[in-house]
Amino acid sequence: MGKAKPASRRGNAELHAQAVALSLHPWNNSVADWQALESVVTQLGAAAPKAAKDAVTSRQRSMKMMPNPFGGRS
């Protein structure tokens, strides 16, 4: 995963809107939707303060320990 470029305030608002749209109905999302949501959250995280970045890193570490609901490792 490459480094994401920090977004502007407008860019952050657009990323937040995308994240909300993708997470409204999680039971209807495809694998591509989940990957898009992960991408948006990663971009938002790149513009976040250090404490938020540390929290995202911790969550990602925890998620790697959980089984993949789609059957394979990505």
Side-chain angles (χ1 to χ4, degrees), residues 51-62:
K53 289 180 183 180
D54 291 344
V56 169
T57 301
S58 174
R59 182 182 183 284
Q60 287 174 337
R61 234 184 346 259
S62 297

Side-chain angles (χ1 to χ4, degrees), residues 8-56:
S8 66
R9 283 185 149 209
R10 179 177 178 198
N12 278 345
E14 290 171 3
L15 290 172
H16 278 286
Q18 287 177 16
V20 168
L22 286 167
S23 62
L24 282 176
H25 302 289
W27 57 89
N28 291 333
N29 291 343
S30 67
V31 174
D33 291 333
W34 286 110
Q35 289 170 344
L37 180 59
E38 181 181 22
S39 173
V40 168
V41 170
T42 300
Q43 290 176 44
L44 284 170
K50 183 175 180 350
K53 289 180 183 180
D54 291 344
V56 169

